[in-house]
Amino acid sequence: DGGITQSPKYLFRKEGQNVTLSCEQNLNHDAMYWYRQDPGQGLRLIYYSQIVNDFQKGDIAEGYSVSREKKESFPLTVTSAQKNPTAFYLCATQADRNTFFGPGTRLTVL
Amino acid sequence: AQSVAQPEDQVNVAEGNPLTVKCTYSVSGNPYLFWYVQYPNRGLQFLLKYITGDNLVKGSYGFEAEFNKSQTSFHLKKPSALVSDSALYFCAVRDFFSGGYNKLIFGAGTRLAVHP
């Protein structure tokens, strides 16, 4: 987990609210990713970014948004349009052929 | 399309016995294959990878994996299991696509339970 921090560790949201998950890295890696983990489904890609001010949708981007204003930061916003947001969210960076994961944020919708 | 399959939801093994966690893949071209381990409410930790070269790859914590091109498999193995190996294991393949971006495609995960 070292070098990538995600906050908060646990997050509770009421239906209809937007929430933002933080991801910060000090690895100086250009590429950053957001994955969603659900039981029995592995990890699925939400958004990715190769450079500052550029990002692309992954496989399940609907109901999510991101920004990449700084190399170190790649926050993910879970909007009210995401119908089933309860999941474990993992931020990752990539350099060369290796992917590094943060400790994750567990989001629960009440 | 690239895909990864982990056919077993759970593997049970007694401490001290050898363990195998299975993974098969489907890719176009040469595969980049990975194994990760996840402990409860934690991120994924890298165990090992196959890019090219020797088909037997050695990784962290005594784990190894054998790349078998003819069977399109990349099974994770350890000669002697420890209770502390109990965790969720993910196999993944790198999916290369346009623009220089690339992502990991994950299997559904296999829960390993090592019993004393």
Side-chain angles (χ1 to χ4, degrees):
Chain A
D1 298 349
I4 304 172
T5 57
Q6 290 186 243
S7 61
K9 186 173 176 64
Y10 298 96
L11 185 57
F12 298 91
R13 190 194 92 171
K14 294 181 180 179
E15 286 194 20
Q17 285 183 333
N18 293 355
V19 290
T20 297
L21 284 58
S22 169
C23 177
E24 302 282 331
Q25 56 113 348
N26 62 5
L27 301 171
N28 200 34
H29 292 167
D30 287 314
M32 296 188 74
Y33 301 78
W34 274 105
Y35 286 91
R36 169 180 170 142
Q37 182 180 7
D38 296 281
Q41 294 192 47
L43 280 70
R44 294 177 291 168
L45 182 66
I46 305 172
Y47 266 97
Y48 56 91
S49 169
Q50 182 75 7
I51 56 174
V52 174
N53 293 323
D54 181 70
F55 47 83
Q56 302 294 330
K57 292 181 179 180
D59 299 319
I60 55 165
E62 185 176 353
Y64 300 98
S65 65
V66 294
S67 63
R68 188 85 186 274
E69 298 177 359
K70 299 185 300 182
K71 187 175 185 178
E72 300 81 15
S73 179
F74 191 41
L76 173 74
T77 297
V78 184
T79 75
S80 58
Q82 171 50 237
K83 297 306 178 187
N84 185 24
T86 294
F88 192 52
Y89 291 86
L90 288 159
C91 177
T93 69
Q94 184 176 301
D96 298 324
R97 297 165 176 170
N98 297 315
T99 302
F100 305 87
F101 287 86
T105 292
R106 184 165 297 281
L107 173 63
T108 303
V109 174
L110 302 175
Chain B
Q2 326 278 46
S3 66
V4 173
Q6 293 182 243
E8 302 155 316
D9 292 335
Q10 179 152 334
V11 170
N12 296 296
V13 64
E15 187 174 31
N17 283 0
L19 69 87
T20 298
V21 182
K22 295 180 180 178
C23 172
T24 59
Y25 64 89
S26 175
V27 302
S28 51
N30 295 320
Y32 285 18
L33 295 158
F34 301 80
W35 275 103
Y36 288 86
V37 61
Q38 184 181 37
Y39 296 97
N41 291 311
R42 300 291 300 276
L44 273 65
Q45 296 179 31
F46 170 80
L47 280 178
L48 51 80
K49 67 182 177 185
Y50 173 83
I51 304 295
T52 186
D54 195 348
N55 289 344
L56 185 63
V57 179
K58 294 190 181 295
S60 307
Y61 314 120
F63 284 93
E64 59 188 28
E66 185 170 9
F67 171 67
N68 188 318
K69 189 172 184 178
S70 62
Q71 297 185 7
T72 62
S73 67
F74 190 56
H75 301 332
L76 181 70
K77 300 180 180 183
K78 187 174 183 180
S80 178
L82 300 173
V83 173
S84 58
D85 292 330
S86 298
L88 187 58
Y89 290 80
F90 288 100
C91 181
V93 64
R94 187 166 302 288
D95 182 13
F96 298 96
F97 48 92
S98 61
Y101 297 81
N102 52 86
K103 65 179 181 181
L104 290 174
I105 296 176
F106 287 86
T110 298
R111 188 164 301 281
L112 173 66
V114 181
H115 305 285

